[in-house]
Amino acid sequence: MCGSEQDYITQAFDKNWIAPVGNNIDVFENLLCNFIKEDTHVAALNSGTAAIHLGLLLLGVSKGDEVICQSLTFAASANPILYLGATPIFVDSERDTWNLSPDLLEIAIKDRIAKGKKPKAIIAVHLYGMPYKVNKIRNLADKYNIPILEDSAEALGSKYKGDKCGSFGDLGVFSFNGNKIITTSAGGALVAKNLETKNRAIYLATQARDMAPYYQHSEVGYNYRMSNILAGIGRGQMEVLENRVQSRRDIYDYYKDRLQNIPEIEFLDEPKDYFSNRWLSCILTSSFEIRERIRLALEKENIDSRTLWKPLHLQPIFQESPSFLDGTSEDIFQRGLCLPSGSNLTEEEQERVISIISYVTEKVLKLA
Ligand SMILES: *Cc1c(COP(=O)(O)O)cnc(C)c1O
């Protein structure tokens, strides 16, 4: 927290706006619109997962439909497909961004169309803050006339050709969960291209109540709106967003500068025109064994590193889903590691991580 979050919460308490309506929500939504792009319309919700669920509903996904989803991502990207009784179709990643492979995406689309099941939507993810191949994915979506749900949960502050992530999909999604680059402790948002869609999202998120003097419901509704208290935290966090992005990028650059000469360690550079918020600093090691040695050596020193997201096509809950694979996501999963990346990490703390990685990799070299 930066400090001013408390002031906005206090304002909400003083005015007794404790419900999921109030000034903090309106201001937070406006701040997000202004940040992302003119003419976007943002609905603040109580999680990123809720935003994906409503997004799929708004794109018309229903029981029996198929939805294409990037396999290398957090389960929350795809769980809402199952909430709707639809089937996820998983597509592998490409090396340049670790995101949706345009080649495999087209193969998947053609295959499903040939089988008489045109996918209802494409869920594309900017993993760890690195934008996916925005132009290529957009061209394919337009060519086959399939809408994109842009999972930008990890990419607030990232850019492609100068435009902000969250603005590229037919609908965009953000998360403000506790682990994201800014947080409302729990929260999310849906980014729409017009006011009508935003209003429909809010209607569905507040129990789909009809305009009537009594409680009447003609559609199934949800309790997905953000509370005015948490939106106060979001208002404060928006003041430090650019700072947080800079801190994360500095942390990544520091690791890269100190570790890039080790042959067993690789970094994912930004392709030309890409700007990543570097939500988490990730490395690719030369093998699963070395990744594990590093992870366990860090753990021994009480330092928490994490493996990358386990691809969804390998998850027990998604076993039945068709998938289009070339081994990339599995390989990245086997060899990848997320290093400590919190915005308040100090250089001394980074040096501890770096010295352990250097020690482990030198020892491996000597053994070889
Ligand atoms: C965090 C995250 C979500 C879900 O957001 P919540 O606010 O935790 O529900 C969805 N997709 C990705 C890629 C995420 O990292």
Side-chain angles (χ1 to χ4, degrees):
M1 297 291 106
C2 70
S4 56
E5 296 91 351
Q6 193 72 60
D7 300 335
Y8 298 120
I9 293 174
T10 304
Q11 279 179 28
F13 272 70
D14 289 346
K15 295 191 177 123
N16 213 22
W17 282 109
I18 309 300
V21 287
N23 183 247
N24 281 337
I25 297 178
D26 300 337
V27 175
F28 182 45
E29 288 180 342
N30 281 331
L31 289 169
L32 282 166
C33 289
N34 292 340
F35 180 81
I36 298 158
K37 197 183 183 184
E38 250 179 90
D39 282 338
T40 54
H41 300 266
V42 173
L45 302 171
N46 59 14
S47 75
T49 310
I52 294 170
H53 188 186
L54 287 186
L56 291 175
L57 269 168
L58 291 167
L59 296 176
V61 175
S62 63
K63 200 172 169 183
D65 287 338
E66 292 189 351
V67 174
I68 290 182
C69 183
Q70 182 166 323
S71 183
L72 187 62
T73 181
F74 182 42
S77 299
N79 276 335
I81 303 171
L82 299 187
Y83 303 168
L84 290 164
T87 303
I89 309 292
F90 292 114
V91 171
D92 218 324
S93 290
E94 43 101 22
R95 300 272 163 191
D96 299 350
T97 67
W98 295 1
N99 294 314
L100 209 52
S101 154
D103 294 342
L104 288 172
L105 174 61
E106 182 156 31
I107 290 170
I109 294 172
K110 281 182 171 163
D111 176 85
R112 301 326 286 175
I113 290 176
K115 291 192 165 69
K117 274 248 163 209
K118 183 169 153 180
K120 270 291 181 69
I122 298 164
I123 301 178
V125 187
H126 307 295
L127 209 68
Y128 302 115
M130 181 65 79
Y132 60 75
K133 295 231 164 116
V134 173
N135 273 6
K136 287 197 169 173
I137 303 291
R138 169 49 66 195
N139 288 342
L140 286 171
D142 289 350
K143 180 171 168 189
Y144 294 97
N145 196 21
I146 304 171
I148 297 173
L149 183 67
E150 179 189 1
D151 183 346
S152 203
E154 302 176 359
L156 184 58
S158 295
K159 290 179 268 192
Y160 173 79
K161 295 198 168 167
D163 289 326
K164 300 263 173 49
C165 287
S167 68
F168 303 122
D170 294 80
L171 290 168
V173 167
F174 287 111
S175 166
F176 311 111
N177 194 30
N179 59 342
K180 298 303 197 295
I181 195 149
I182 62 164
T183 180
T184 57
S185 80
L190 190 69
V191 185
K193 298 265 184 264
N194 57 59
L195 187 60
E196 201 189 337
T197 308
K198 170 187 166 166
N199 287 340
R200 174 133 178 97
I202 292 173
Y203 157 81
L204 290 171
T206 51
Q207 309 286 17
R209 193 176 158 192
D210 291 346
M211 292 284 218
Y214 35 80
Y215 286 88
Q216 175 170 295
H217 306 270
S218 316
E219 282 185 88
V220 177
Y222 301 84
N223 184 4
Y224 279 175
R225 194 69 162 130
M226 180 176 277
S227 103
N228 195 49
I229 303 294
L230 299 191
I233 303 180
R235 270 180 86 174
Q237 289 275 287
M238 285 306 285
E239 295 169 12
V240 291
L241 172 55
E242 298 278 14
N243 263 324
R244 295 286 152 87
V245 171
Q246 193 55 54
S247 310
R248 300 274 172 148
R249 287 178 61 83
D250 290 346
I251 287 165
Y252 173 88
D253 288 343
Y254 195 86
Y255 280 130
K256 187 176 171 197
D257 181 56
R258 304 279 282 107
L259 293 170
Q260 65 183 344
N261 292 328
I262 300 177
E264 286 83 8
I265 309 287
E266 229 182 285
F267 287 83
L268 184 67
D269 289 328
E270 289 159 329
K272 189 177 169 299
D273 293 330
Y274 286 62
F275 179 94
S276 168
N277 68 8
R278 297 294 185 190
W279 172 53
L280 297 183
S281 287
C282 303
I283 54 171
L284 264 195
T285 63
S286 50
S287 70
F288 171 77
E289 289 70 29
I290 289 182
R291 200 281 307 280
E292 279 304 277
R293 278 184 203 223
I294 293 172
R295 189 179 69 78
L296 295 171
L298 290 169
E299 193 175 270
K300 235 186 190 161
E301 294 297 317
N302 220 5
I303 297 170
D304 192 22
S305 64
R306 303 273 172 92
T307 66
L308 306 191
W309 301 124
K310 180 175 177 176
L312 299 185
H313 71 270
L314 298 175
Q315 301 284 357
I317 46 164
F318 295 120
Q319 250 170 14
E320 306 294 310
S321 295
S323 38
F324 294 81
L325 309 168
D326 66 3
T328 302
S329 64
E330 269 188 72
D331 177 50
I332 292 172
F333 168 61
Q334 294 281 321
R335 297 193 287 123
L337 192 66
C338 304
L339 302 178
S341 308
S343 306
N344 55 359
L345 204 67
T346 64
E347 277 187 11
E348 290 71 41
E349 288 169 325
Q350 282 199 269
E351 281 298 337
R352 280 185 64 208
V353 176
I354 289 160
S355 69
I356 292 165
I357 295 175
S358 307
Y359 176 78
V360 171
T361 46
E362 271 166 34
K363 215 167 71 174
V364 170
L365 271 185
K366 274 189 200 132
L367 286 176

